[in-house]
């Protein structure tokens, strides 16, 4: 805890968030726990910068170009001096006790390095209670009441020192899977991710378009890179081979109204990007191994398909 009683720095990443960031910052101002707020503005050009001036006490880190969600988090981390750091989407409005509940869960669980949130749609439906690991290595939203593999980066709380120890935030991901990759590294290092009842309302996709070609490109690329960095070697090679094999077969299949992730051109682009990033992914894999106290296979067998 800092001398002023603040435990958490809340990092809000925004890009052209003028239409919804007010609700996020107003919800943070209503929190029952003291905290610091740092907004990372990814070179917005819609008047977001001018709007932020109307929120006194909010720190702003304006980047010269859009570095995405992962890049924004990585840029902000050196500025965090509190024991905890929260990740928060600019289209999420946390309940007044969100931070109090999340901090309490980490305080009660010394081996926990991250706490999830319950993300709800504006209609009140559960959108996510954390991240589950599928049998093919996807990080998918969990919606049940059980334990979770990881946290959804839309609203989560982490121990700052542990996050730094396991390598920080993968800025090169730009967007998506930075949370699943981080959860992998936390678990490999022997830490837990705890599911909590800290709640936030989340618009989801206010800055990106879920289901778009770009969305699928980021997701498919970053899933494979996460596996190359963190998963057992056999799993990573198998999933990369499956992705390549399906891509090769697609031109021969009659699939009307194909979603973007089943279009050969998009998948070929993903394979090119993975190949380009492979040396960096393998270097990161070695660093992950050095920090690990739990075998990759043990994490995979405990959580994949659960």
């Amino acid at each position: 805890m800092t001398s002023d009683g603040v435990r958490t720095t809340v990092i809000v990443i925004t890009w052209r968030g003028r239409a919804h960031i007010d609700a996020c910052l107003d919800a943070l101002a209503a929190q029952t726990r003291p905290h610091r707020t740092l907004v990372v503005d990814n070179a917005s050009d819609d008047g977001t910068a001018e709007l932020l001036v109307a929120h006194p006490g909010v720190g702003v880190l304006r980047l010269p170009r859009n570095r995405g969600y992962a890049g924004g988090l990585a840029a902000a981390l050196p500025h965090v001096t509190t024991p905890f750091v929260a990740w928060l989407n600019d289209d999420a409005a946390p309940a007044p006790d969100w931070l109090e509940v999340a901090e309490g869960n980490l305080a009660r669980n010394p081996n926990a390095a991250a706490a999830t949130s319950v993300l709800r749609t504006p209609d009140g439906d559960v959108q996510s209670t954390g991240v589950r690991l599928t049998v093919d290595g996807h990080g998918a939203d969990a919606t049940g009441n059980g334990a979770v593999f990881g946290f959804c980066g839309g609203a989560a709380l982490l121990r700052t020192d542990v996050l730094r120890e396991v390598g920080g935030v993968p800025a090169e991901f730009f967007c998506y899977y930075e949370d699943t990759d981080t959860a992998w590294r936390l678990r490999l290092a022997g830490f837990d991710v705890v599911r909590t009842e800290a709640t936030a309302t989340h618009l989801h996709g206010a800055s990106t378009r879920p289901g778009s070609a770009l969305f699928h490109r980021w997701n498919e690329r970053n899933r494979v890179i996460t596996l190359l960095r963190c998963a057992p070697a056999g799993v990573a090679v198998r999933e990369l081979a499956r992705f390549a094999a399906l891509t090769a077969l697609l031109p021969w299949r009659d699939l009307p109204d194909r979603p973007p992730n089943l279009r050969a051109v998009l998948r070929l682009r993903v394979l090119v990007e993975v190949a380009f990033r492979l040396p960096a992914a393998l270097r990161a894999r070695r660093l992950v191994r050095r920090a690990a106290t739990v075998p990759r296979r043990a994490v995979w067998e405990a959580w994949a398909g659960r």
Side-chain angles (χ1 to χ4, degrees), residues 71-151:
L73 289 169
L77 189 56
H79 300 272
V80 176
T81 58
T82 49
F84 300 144
V85 57
W87 299 5
L88 188 66
N89 281 179
D90 65 349
D91 60 351
D97 65 348
W98 169 70
L99 197 52
E100 182 177 356
V101 172
E103 284 186 354
N105 273 266
L106 285 189
R108 289 191 300 273
N109 294 274
N111 197 55
T116 70
S117 298
V118 178
L119 296 178
R120 294 185 178 275
T121 67
D123 294 331
D125 296 330
V126 174
Q127 188 182 91
S128 175
T129 58
V131 167
R132 59 187 177 87
L133 188 63
T134 70
V135 293
D136 55 0
H138 281 89
D141 281 322
T143 55
N145 295 321
V148 292
F149 169 74
F151 58 92

Side-chain angles (χ1 to χ4, degrees), residues 239-255:
E239 292 306 319
L240 179 57
R242 283 182 176 178
F243 188 90
L246 178 56
T247 302
L249 290 172
L250 280 174
W252 307 100
R253 293 191 174 186
D254 183 17
L255 297 173

Side-chain angles (χ1 to χ4, degrees), residues 4 6 11 19 45 90 98 144 148 162 189 272 296:
D4 55 0
V6 172
I11 302 175
D45 55 6
D90 65 349
W98 169 70
V148 292
V162 177
V272 169
R296 299 175 197 268

